[in-house]
Amino acid sequence: MNLTRSLLDVRPLRTSPVYRRLLIGRTVSVLGGFMTMVTVMYQVWDMTRSTAWTGAVGLAQALPLVVFGLFAGARVDRADRRRIYLTATVGQAACSLLLAVQGFTGHVPVAAVLALVAVQSAFGALGAPAAGTFVPRLLPKDQVAAGLALNQITGQSMMLLGPALAGVLLGGLGIGACYLLDALSFGLAFYGAFGLPALPPRGEPSRAGLHGVLDGLRFLAGHRVVRGALITDLAATVLSFPVSLFPLVNAERFGNDPRTLGLFLSALAVGGIAATALSGSLTRLGRPGTVMLCTSATWGAALVALGLSTDPWTGLALLVVAGAADATSVVSRSTIVQTCTPDALLGRVTAAEQIVGQAGPSLGNVRGGLVAGWSSGATALISGGLLCVLAVAAVAGTTPELRDAAAGTD
C-alpha cells in the first residue's frame, strides 16, 4: 500500500482556500472552547466546592442543544447558512465577553455563570447545524470525507492542547483572561466564515417551526443509510461509553494510581489523532458505511479487552485502539450524513447528528455507572462492549443499505 495515500488526505487545503480559512478559524475557536470548558468547571468548583454544581455545568451545556437543536436545524434549512453561522458566532463571543467581565470583577452568583454558559450553548446549537452544511458545499464530493477528517484531527488536537493550556493560563493570568481569550478566538472563527459565499439551502426551504422539524424526522425514519449510521453511533455510545468507569476501573485494576487515570482520556485522544492522521486510504475508499460498522465493532471489542486486562500499559494501548476506532467512526458517520442527505434537509439532519453525538455519551456514562454500581467496573466495560458488538452486528445484518453504502448513496 502506498504510504502517501495512507496519510491524512490534505487535498481540501490545496483545492479550497475558503475551506482552509474556515478550518483555521474553527480550530482556534475549538481551542478557546476547550479552555472555557475547563475554566467554567474550575470557577464553579472554586465558588461552590460542590460536585452537584460542577455536574450542572454539563447540564447547562447539553440541555440547550437537545431542546433547541432540531428547531435550529429547521431554521438553518430556511435561510442563508453563512449568515446564521456568523450570527451564532457573534452571540457566542458576546457570552464569552460577559463571562470574562464577571471573571475579572468576581462576586457573581454561580447561577448567573451557568445561565451564560447555557445561552452560549444555545447559540452553539444554532451555529453547529449551519457549520455542518459547509463542507459538502465547499468541496467536491470525493473530498468531503477528507475535509471531515481534517476537522476531526484538528478538533482532537485542540482537545489535548486546550485543557492543558487552560490550566497554565488559569494559574498565571486568572479566570477572566481565559474567558477573554476564548472571546477573541471567536473573532478568527468569524473571519474564517466571513469570506464564504451566500449559502441558502438548495431545494425547497424547510417549513417553519414544528412542521419543518417533523419533515426532518420523517426523512431520518425513511432513509435507511442515514438512520442506520445514527443508530450505530447510539449503539456504540449508549451501550458502551466508558469515561465514567475510568476512576473505578483504575482503582480496581491499576492500584488507583492517579497517573494512570490521567492517561486514560489522553490515550483515547492520541488514538483518535493517530487514526485520523493515517485516514487517507479510508477516506479515499468511498465506503463509509462499511468503515463505520467495522470501527464501531472494533470500539466495542477494545473495551471488552480493556475490561479483561490487568496490565496498565496493555489497558492504555487498548484505549488508544478504542480512540482510533471512535475517531474513524465519527468521520464515517459525518460523511454519510453530509453526502447522503439532500441539501435542503442537511441542517435538520446535522442537528440530529449533533444531538446523537452529545446525548449518546452522556447516557452511556449513566449506563456504565449504574451497571458498575450493581457489579464492578470491569463487568460494566465487558458487558457494554459485548452489547455494542452485538448491536452493530444487528444493524449490519438488518440494514444492508448501510453495509453497502458508498459516499453519496441516496
Side-chain angles (χ1 to χ4, degrees), residues 26-372:
R26 174 188 179 276
T27 301
V28 175
S29 180
V30 169
L31 174 64
F34 279 114
M35 288 174 57
T36 285
M37 179 182 72
V38 172
T39 305
V40 169
M41 294 292 289
Y42 175 83
Q43 182 183 6
V44 170
W45 173 255
D46 188 56
M47 293 170 70
T48 66
R49 301 291 173 178
S50 165
T51 55
W53 278 109
T54 56
V57 174
L59 200 61
Q61 293 168 331
L63 271 180
L65 181 63
V66 173
V67 172
F68 300 120
L70 290 176
F71 290 93
R75 176 60 184 162
V76 165
D77 286 337
R78 296 183 64 228
D80 178 8
R81 279 99 177 241
R82 169 187 173 272
R83 185 181 296 275
I84 289 175
Y85 179 79
L86 292 174
T87 300
T89 301
V90 170
Q92 289 177 288
C95 290
S96 287
L97 280 174
L98 291 173
L99 284 167
V101 170
Q102 66 82 30
F104 284 123
T105 60
H107 309 298
V108 174
V110 66
V113 176
L114 294 183
L116 284 172
V117 170
V119 173
Q120 187 174 56
S121 181
F123 279 114
L126 179 64
T133 68
F134 292 161
V135 171
R137 293 285 288 268
L138 298 176
L139 298 175
K141 185 161 285 189
D142 66 337
Q143 294 183 26
V144 168
L148 295 172
L150 286 164
N151 287 352
Q152 178 77 358
I153 195 170
T154 54
Q156 292 215 313
S157 298
M158 295 307 101
M159 183 173 72
L160 274 178
L161 178 60
L165 184 60
V168 172
L169 294 177
L170 278 169
L173 300 177
I175 291 170
C178 286
Y179 288 134
L180 182 60
L181 287 172
D182 183 30
L184 295 175
S185 77
F186 283 113
L188 272 179
F190 188 93
Y191 168 75
F194 192 76
L196 291 173
L199 293 171
R202 292 170 175 165
E204 184 178 350
S206 168
R207 294 192 290 173
L210 183 60
H211 294 295
V213 172
L214 293 176
D215 290 339
L217 293 175
R218 275 191 286 269
F219 170 81
L220 284 174
H223 198 293
R224 290 173 62 81
V225 174
V226 176
R227 185 184 69 202
L230 295 186
I231 291 174
T232 301
D233 188 86
L234 280 173
T237 53
V238 173
L239 298 177
S240 60
F241 202 72
V243 172
S244 66
L245 301 172
F246 285 170
L248 180 58
V249 172
N250 186 50
E252 290 176 345
R253 294 294 180 93
F254 306 131
N256 205 30
D257 188 336
R259 293 171 296 180
T260 309
L261 179 60
L263 289 173
F264 277 1
L265 280 173
S266 295
L268 285 174
V270 166
I273 291 171
T276 313
L278 297 171
S279 65
S281 57
L282 293 178
T283 55
R284 289 184 176 94
L285 181 63
R287 300 298 296 270
T290 300
V291 172
M292 183 177 187
L293 290 168
C294 291
T295 52
S296 297
T298 301
W299 159 270
L303 295 177
V304 170
L306 175 63
L308 296 171
S309 173
T310 57
D311 176 67
W313 293 110
T314 301
L316 289 172
L318 290 166
L319 282 173
V320 170
V321 172
D326 178 57
T328 308
S329 176
V330 168
V331 171
S332 301
R333 181 197 72 205
S334 296
T335 301
I336 291 168
V337 167
Q338 298 201 11
T339 60
C340 296
T341 304
D343 186 77
L345 288 157
L346 190 53
R348 281 163 284 181
V349 177
T350 300
E353 182 193 14
Q354 298 281 342
I355 292 170
V356 166
Q358 187 82 259
S362 298
L363 292 173
N365 277 328
V366 172
R367 183 216 67 90
L370 291 174
V371 174

